[in-house]
Amino acid sequence: MRLLIIEDDREASSYLSKAFREAGHVADTADDGLDGYALAREGAYDVLVVDRMLPKLDGLSLIRSLREQGVETPVLILSALGQVDDRVKGLKAGGDDYLPKPYAFSELMARIEVLARRRGGGAATEATSYRVGDLELDRLSHRVTRAGQEIPLQPREFRLLEYLMRHAGQVVTRTMLLEHVWDYHFDPQTNVIDVHVSRLRAKVDKGFERPMIHTVRGAGYMVRAGGEA
């Protein structure tokens, strides 16, 4: 899933962002209501996680404005205000769910997954597994096999392979990988992608006659069955 966290507590925002990424999702952040509103309007997110008490534009006003603009992205409200009246106000403002602080991350994640499924689009209809030739990736079990042989991958390697397999047969550029796998919206001028692709290729293609991960010179990378690298 692609998530947007709108939270002014940077420590809490950093914790959530890290936890979502470790769970295999993409997480963007905003630390005030105006920036969050702009990102939510322009970005294609599966779920918004919105703190109620925000500088510049409070959470409820932000949600009302999004709904008035026709943005229907599901919203989960986080707030230290957890009384019934507070929850009712949040839902009436256009929120889809309301979770009082403090909360358990496992419950937050479960609620987000429910919202994404209810949406009926985006992550809810996204495939839970991918297959290219004899290479298979299961997103639910985080298991990768080739010709029935299990391939252990690190979390970042798994996300990289998942993105490549999701776009099997298509050229995936460095910019696409930076934005969707590393969550960078700029080129950090490092060889981080090349290093990870090299490691992934060593695990996925080693011992097999035909390579699965291909370098398209001057363009990017591609996963496809058979052919020359």
Side-chain angles (χ1 to χ4, degrees):
M1 290 181 288
R2 189 170 183 85
L3 308 169
L4 174 61
I5 304 162
I6 308 175
E7 165 67 78
D8 64 323
D9 183 329
R10 297 199 175 184
E11 185 176 344
S13 178
S14 177
Y15 164 75
L16 282 179
S17 178
K18 182 174 182 291
F20 286 137
R21 289 167 183 167
E22 288 176 348
H25 306 296
V26 175
D28 293 337
T29 61
D31 56 13
D32 68 62
L34 289 180
D35 285 348
Y37 175 71
L39 284 171
R41 280 198 64 189
E42 302 299 328
Y45 296 102
D46 296 301
V47 178
L48 310 177
V49 179
V50 181
D51 182 35
R52 182 166 169 175
M53 307 297 288
L54 293 168
K56 298 185 181 179
L57 181 67
D58 70 88
L60 299 191
S61 297
L62 182 156
I63 296 165
R64 288 193 195 97
S65 298
L66 289 175
R67 298 308 186 223
E68 289 170 0
Q69 293 297 317
V71 177
E72 298 298 330
T73 308
V75 175
L76 187 147
I77 301 171
L78 294 179
S79 178
L81 305 174
Q83 298 301 313
V84 172
D85 286 348
D86 298 316
R87 298 198 298 270
V88 169
K89 287 178 182 176
L91 297 174
K92 284 188 173 181
D96 298 276
D97 199 355
Y98 195 109
L99 185 60
K101 298 178 180 179
Y103 54 84
F105 179 75
S106 57
E107 180 181 3
L108 173 64
M109 192 71 254
R111 287 173 181 252
I112 286 174
E113 289 170 351
V114 168
L115 291 179
R117 287 198 299 269
R118 283 181 188 167
R119 190 181 187 192
T125 58
E126 190 174 314
T128 58
S129 63
Y130 300 101
R131 181 184 181 111
V132 181
D134 59 358
L135 179 65
E136 296 183 64
L137 179 148
D138 189 302
R139 296 176 61 237
L140 299 182
S141 65
H142 273 237
R143 186 167 181 264
V144 174
T145 61
R146 183 164 183 187
Q149 184 177 341
E150 187 163 356
I151 302 171
L153 297 179
Q154 296 297 318
R156 185 76 67 181
E157 294 168 346
F158 185 91
R159 287 179 61 185
L160 175 58
L161 182 61
E162 177 190 347
Y163 193 78
L164 289 169
M165 291 184 72
R166 186 187 306 172
H167 299 277
Q170 305 171 26
V171 175
V172 175
T173 67
R174 287 176 56 88
T175 299
M176 292 167 68
L177 291 175
L178 283 169
E179 290 186 351
H180 296 283
V181 178
W182 274 266
D183 310 319
Y184 296 158
H185 296 283
F186 62 95
D187 189 340
Q189 298 297 319
T190 72
N191 63 344
V192 61
I193 292 178
D194 302 322
V195 169
H196 278 77
V197 169
S198 178
R199 290 176 182 169
L200 184 62
R201 182 180 278 133
K203 293 183 178 182
V204 170
D205 289 336
K206 185 177 180 180
F208 292 92
E209 182 180 351
R210 292 184 177 276
M212 193 71 71
I213 300 174
H214 304 265
T215 299
V216 182
R217 295 190 186 280
Y221 303 94
M222 177 190 298
V223 163
R224 60 182 170 84
E228 297 298 323

